[in-house]
Amino acid sequence: MDEHKGNGYGRQLMEYCLNDAKERGKSGVCMLGAEKQKAWLSDQAFAMKYGFEEVDSTKDGYKLLALSFDGTLPHFAPNAKRQAIENKELMVYYDMQCPYILQRVETLKEHCEEKAIPASFVQVATLEQAKALPCVFNNWAVFYGGKFQTVNQLDGGMLDKIMAREDA
C-alpha cells in the first residue's frame, strides 16, 4: 500500500467528500476516531488539517470528529456511549459495508450452531437502526456478557476466546 502514499489520493477523497456534503446542503461532515489510532479508522491527524475537531467521546476512548459548515455540532447518542446491553448472550450487529461481512456472519452462525451457543445477529439496514445501537459502531459490533467486546470480525476461535475470558 505504500506505493499509494504521497500521490494526493487522500486529499482528493477528502476534498471530494467535503465538496459533496456542501453541494448537498449538509450541515457538516463527521467521522469516528479514537484516542489511539486504529488501522481501520481514518487518520485523525489528516482530518484535523482540514478543520475537523473532536466534538464528543466515549469513556473507552472513541471520539467523534466533526467539521461543521453551519456551527451545528453532532454528538454520540446516549445509548451509543453505554456500550452495553441487557442481553448476556452473544449479540452481533452488522451491516453490509464490507464485502466480507456476509461470509463472516454465516461462518459465525455455523460455529454457534455447532457449539450450541445462543446467538443473535442483527443486520443494521437503516439510519434509524444505526442511531439506536448500544455502541458507536454500526458495521460490526460484538457483545457478550452484556458488554461490548470488539469491532473485529470474528472467527470461531476468536469467539471462543472471548467467551472463555468473560465466563472465567
Side-chain angles (χ1 to χ4, degrees):
M1 289 283 203
D2 286 340
E3 72 269 13
H4 299 296
K5 287 188 175 191
N7 293 316
Y9 300 136
R11 177 187 50 77
Q12 289 174 14
L13 285 169
M14 179 65 82
E15 289 173 2
Y16 179 87
C17 175
L18 297 176
N19 289 332
D20 184 60
K22 287 176 184 174
E23 288 173 8
R24 293 174 184 248
K26 302 298 180 183
S27 60
V29 176
C30 60
M31 64 182 266
L32 186 62
E35 282 178 18
K36 294 180 182 175
Q37 182 67 47
K38 302 188 184 304
W40 45 268
L41 288 174
S42 296
D43 185 342
Q44 299 157 118
F46 176 73
M48 289 181 174
K49 290 178 185 176
Y50 284 85
F52 281 77
E53 60 185 332
E54 182 181 335
V55 295
D56 202 357
S57 62
T58 66
K59 64 183 175 197
D60 56 348
Y62 289 98
K63 302 177 185 181
L64 184 61
L65 304 175
L67 174 59
S68 180
F69 303 145
D70 64 4
T72 304
L73 296 178
H75 56 85
F76 288 128
N79 52 298
K81 286 186 167 189
R82 277 198 334 263
Q83 306 249 84
I85 58 175
E86 291 195 26
N87 184 345
K88 302 296 183 198
E89 297 173 352
L90 177 67
M91 175 76 73
V92 178
Y93 295 97
Y94 68 95
D95 74 11
M96 302 308 277
Q97 285 181 7
C98 171
Y100 302 109
I101 292 284
L102 186 58
Q103 178 184 11
R104 186 60 71 191
V105 167
E106 293 305 318
T107 301
L108 207 51
K109 281 182 180 179
E110 289 173 11
H111 179 79
C112 290
E113 288 171 10
E114 288 171 9
K115 295 217 167 188
I117 298 169
S120 297
F121 294 81
V122 178
Q123 183 176 356
V124 179
T126 68
L127 177 61
E128 291 75 28
Q129 288 174 314
K131 286 181 175 183
L133 288 175
C135 60
V136 298
F137 310 97
N138 66 330
N139 58 336
W140 185 268
V142 177
F143 287 80
Y144 183 71
K147 297 187 288 188
F148 173 73
Q149 298 293 329
T150 186
V151 297
N152 296 325
Q153 294 182 32
L154 300 175
D155 61 19
M158 291 187 298
L159 174 59
D160 292 343
K161 286 178 184 177
I162 288 171
M163 293 178 69
R165 181 184 70 228
E166 287 299 316
D167 292 341

